[in-house]
């Protein structure tokens, strides 16, 4: 089974385009509009990579990241944010994000990152089982 | 209050010195605050004080470096070391350098207040006006 | 025990071997020249025996000296370790004691505002609330420190992935660049395009690079430059973060990788960034080093095995 993506962003237009582009590449993708919705999805279904926006109303991205890493430590998270702050980047990376990327990001690049994150998850899982 | 003890708090933690100032003022002390050694020296040239509450670890001029300068700027003041640093060596070196006493953070306010009064009373006894 | 005393104890003098023996042997050889052959042969044998005996004694002495030195080295390492633990605990104490001191005071103030009646004056309510907020903030500060310490203690095995080094570090450079622009600092890339891929833990290395860039940003004044360079050196890949900031005073150089060492304002930095980075790079099988000429910036170098 290949890469399964969960995309979390409150910007409907952005997420819609993202879903379309992943679907076009035949990569299963699910959208969530906010943190609690994403966490609920993760509890019910298996995902490999979460693409997470930092600035969302309600639960902020860092809290969502922390929760994801607590409940599903093997799931890899790529943070996609329009807001550059080295401080937030440091926090995100030290909380276990795979990468911290500034918007706008080229879709090809994002796909490559998602695949790399997926590869890491597989490596991690194979080690856990051995 | 006729004989209000004049205290100068020197600490780089803003909230710490502000709340301590608030508490001591409520208890009848006359309080000024400084965020570091240099600011404290400037304040002492404006007006002397009775007791200096001095932190040890501060950026810029450390408490240890500031101690002789503060004593020179205001010889009549007693210096009380209040430090979060667990280094007894530094504290005892500062006592040898003329500090009156030292307390370890965190320290209940009444204990600190007692120490300020004790140091002040000792000074009044040894140096009668 | 005083190290000097170990070396000084039970040391017979050296002069019988360095002075007396060569003198005896020399005299014997001179006598052997003048003496009849049989006696000369005996004298030469005697001279040889004296020389060999002395040489053996000296060799034994040198070996035992080396053994004692090794013993000393071991003790020195042990005492250095103990000193590091001492410094670490004193650092933790200081970092936690400061917020605790604030909490203690806020509680004292709030209690006082509540007064003997147990009901604060309406005019003081805002102040009580402010005290509670502050207590919350300081608890958060303590929590951050303990969590980082736990991160420190956690030995997560690195997950090694093949990746182009540029892909690992470029996102961190972009992130730092946006912030640098706002402060009038330029980020210059000097990537070696011919580098082979690295096998490393990608997010861990990103964390290190971002930390080094953050430190460089904090140290570099407006108009300064931060250079992010990669190159190959024998069987190592080198990543360099150079800044044109204030540099590191020599007296701080030995301490910068110590946990809790910071030159930032209280509450602004935990002083764990560089020591965490150092720990990560070591776990990745590499080294993290620093060079600096005060006033002329600093260079942090990550060297990773290929």
């Amino acid at each position: 089974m290949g890469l399964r993506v969960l995309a979390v962003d409150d910007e409907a237009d952005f997420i819609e385009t993202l879903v379309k582009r992943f679907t076009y590449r035949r990569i299963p993708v699910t959208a969530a509009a906010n943190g609690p919705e994403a966490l609920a999805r993760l509890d019910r279904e298996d995902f490999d990579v979460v693409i997470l926006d930092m600035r969302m109303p309600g639960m902020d991205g860092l809290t969502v990241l922390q929760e994801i890493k607590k409940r599903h430590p093997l799931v890899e998270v790529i943070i996609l944010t329009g807001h550059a702050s080295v401080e937030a980047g440091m926090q995100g990376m030290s909380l276990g994000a795979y990468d911290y990327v500034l918007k706008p990001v080229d879709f090809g690049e994002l796909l490559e990152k998602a695949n790399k994150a997926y590869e890491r998850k597989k490596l991690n899982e194979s080690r856990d089982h051995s | 209050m006729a004989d209000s003890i004049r205290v100068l708090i020197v600490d780089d933690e803003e909230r710490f010195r502000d709340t301590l100032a608030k508490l001591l003022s409520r208890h009848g002390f006359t309080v000024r605050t400084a965020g570091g050694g240099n600011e404290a020296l400037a304040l002492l040239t404006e007006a002397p004080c009775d007791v200096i509450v001095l932190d040890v670890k501060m950026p810029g001029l450390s408490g240890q470096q500031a101690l002789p300068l503060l004593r020179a700027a205001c010889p009549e003041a007693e210096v009380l070391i209040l430090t979060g640093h667990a280094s007894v060596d530094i504290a005892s070196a500062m006592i040898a350098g003329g500090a009156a006493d030292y307390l370890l953070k965190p320290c209940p306010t009444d204990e600190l207040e007692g120490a300020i009064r004790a140091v002040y009373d000792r000074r009044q006894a040894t140096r009668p006006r | 025990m005083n190290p000097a005393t170990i070396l000084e104890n039970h040391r017979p003098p050296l002069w019988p071997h360095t002075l007396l023996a060569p003198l005896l042997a020399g005299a014997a050889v001179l006598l052997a020249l003048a003496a009849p052959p049989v006696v000369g042969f005996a004298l030469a044998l005697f001279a040889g025996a004296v020389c060999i005996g002395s040489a053996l004694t000296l060799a034994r002495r040198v070996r035992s000296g080396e053994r004692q030195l090794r013993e000393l080295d071991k003790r020195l390492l042990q005492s250095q370790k103990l000193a590091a633990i001492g410094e670490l605990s004193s650092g933790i104490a200081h970092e936690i004691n400061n917020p605790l001191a604030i909490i203690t005071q806020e509680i004292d103030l709030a209690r006082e505002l509540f007064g003997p009646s147990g009901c604060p004056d309406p005019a003081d309510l805002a102040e009580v609330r402010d005290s509670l907020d502050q207590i919350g903030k300081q608890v958060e500060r303590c929590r951050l420190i303990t969590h980082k310490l736990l991160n420190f203690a956690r030995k997560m095995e690195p997950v090694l992935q093949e990746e182009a080094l540029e892909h690992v570090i470029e996102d961190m450079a972009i992130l730092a660049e946006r912030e640098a622009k706002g402060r009038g600092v330029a980020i210059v890339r000097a990537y070696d395009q011919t580098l082979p891929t690295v096998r490393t833990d990608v997010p861990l290395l990103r964390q290190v690079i971002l930390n080094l860039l953050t430190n460089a940003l904090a140290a570099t004044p407006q108009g300064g430059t931060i250079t992010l360079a990669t190159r190959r050196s024998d069987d190592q890949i080198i990543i360099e973060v150079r800044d044109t900031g204030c540099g590191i005073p020599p007296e701080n150089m030995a301490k910068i990788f110590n946990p809790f060492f910071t030159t930032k304002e209280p509450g602004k930095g935990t002083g764990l960034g560089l020591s965490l980075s150092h720990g990560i790079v070591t776990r990745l099988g590499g080294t993290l080093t620093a060079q600096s000429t005060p006033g002329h910036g600093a260079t942090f170098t990550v060297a990773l095995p290929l």
Side-chain angles (χ1 to χ4, degrees), chain A residues 82 84-87 89-90 93-94 97-104 112-113 116 119-120 123-124 127, chain C residues 151 157-163 167 171-172 174-176 178-179 201-203 206-207 210-211 214 217:
Chain A
S85 143
V86 171
E87 188 50 44
M90 282 283 285
M93 291 310 295
S94 63
Y98 181 77
D99 200 355
Y100 199 97
V101 188
L102 284 179
K103 285 184 199 170
E112 204 178 303
K113 286 180 201 303
K116 275 287 175 188
E119 178 189 293
R120 179 185 164 85
L123 283 169
N124 223 340
R127 198 185 53 190
Chain C
N151 261 344
E157 277 297 307
V159 179
L160 301 181
Q161 258 180 300
E162 287 282 340
E163 179 65 290
H167 286 178
D171 284 321
M172 302 301 110
I174 294 174
L175 189 59
R178 288 250 190 117
E179 189 146 323
D201 189 299
V202 175
R206 282 192 177 124
Q207 217 174 305
L210 191 58
N211 179 249
T214 311
L217 263 176

Side-chain angles (χ1 to χ4, degrees), chain C residues 16-287:
Chain C
H17 307 289
T18 56
L19 266 175
L20 192 62
L23 219 70
L24 267 175
V29 168
L30 279 180
L31 275 176
L33 290 177
V38 183
V39 183
F41 183 67
L43 280 170
L45 269 182
F46 170 73
V50 166
C51 284
I52 291 172
S54 270
L56 283 177
T57 311
L58 284 174
R60 208 168 42 235
R61 296 270 290 271
V62 166
R63 227 172 286 140
S64 92
E66 277 174 347
R67 219 178 15 247
Q68 282 174 334
L69 266 180
R70 261 202 304 279
E71 189 60 34
L72 268 183
D73 269 355
K74 241 191 267 171
R75 288 188 198 195
L76 198 64
L77 198 71
Q78 196 57 34
S79 71
Q80 273 171 350
K81 267 188 206 162
L82 283 176
I85 294 172
E87 201 161 331
L88 177 67
S89 13
S90 132
I92 299 173
H94 182 258
E95 287 310 311
I96 304 277
N97 269 348
N98 271 336
L100 280 183
I102 296 179
I103 292 170
T104 306
Q105 265 179 6
E106 299 299 330
I107 291 173
D108 282 343
L109 179 65
R111 279 205 183 114
E112 197 166 313
L113 292 170
F114 269 90
S117 63
C119 187
D121 193 299
D124 289 335
L125 272 179
E127 196 149 10
V128 174
R129 192 165 302 134
D130 185 46
S131 277
L132 286 177
D133 286 349
Q134 191 55 231
I135 290 170
K137 246 182 237 168
Q138 298 301 329
V139 169
E140 179 63 24
R141 189 171 150 194
C142 292
R143 201 182 62 99
L144 214 68
I145 294 166
T146 52
H147 280 201
K148 285 218 174 157
L149 274 175
L150 289 178
N151 261 344
F152 212 79
R154 196 177 56 195
K155 283 259 182 290
M156 265 250 291
E157 277 297 307
V159 179
L160 301 181
Q161 258 180 300
E162 287 282 340
E163 179 65 290
L165 188 58
E166 205 174 312
H167 286 178
V168 181
I169 64 179
E170 179 56 18
D171 284 321
M172 302 301 110
I174 294 174
L175 189 59
E177 192 164 41
R178 288 250 190 117
E179 189 146 323
K181 252 184 207 158
R183 299 199 211 163
V185 172
I187 293 200
V188 176
R189 294 159 174 84
Y191 297 154
D192 180 347
Q193 303 293 340
T194 63
L195 284 183
T197 56
V198 286
R199 242 175 87 73
T200 194
D201 189 299
V202 175
L204 281 183
L205 185 55
R206 282 192 177 124
Q207 217 174 305
V208 172
I209 301 304
L210 191 58
N211 179 249
L212 295 180
L213 287 170
T214 311
N215 284 346
L217 263 176
T220 309
Q222 200 169 4
T225 309
I226 296 170
T227 309
L228 182 59
T230 64
R231 63 187 157 84
R232 186 178 177 166
S233 164
D234 299 326
D235 50 353
Q236 285 187 315
I237 288 225
I238 311 283
I239 309 165
E240 267 180 9
V241 180
R242 280 195 296 271
D243 66 61
T244 57
C246 46
I248 304 159
E251 68 268 23
N252 286 351
M253 210 58 184
K255 295 187 256 176
I256 53 171
F257 294 116
N258 286 357
F260 294 113
F261 178 78
T262 179
T263 53
K264 292 181 187 148
E265 301 266 299
K268 291 281 159 57
T270 52
L272 287 175
L274 270 182
S275 56
L276 272 173
S277 297
H278 191 271
I280 289 175
V281 177
T282 309
R283 256 157 66 203
L284 296 178
T287 55

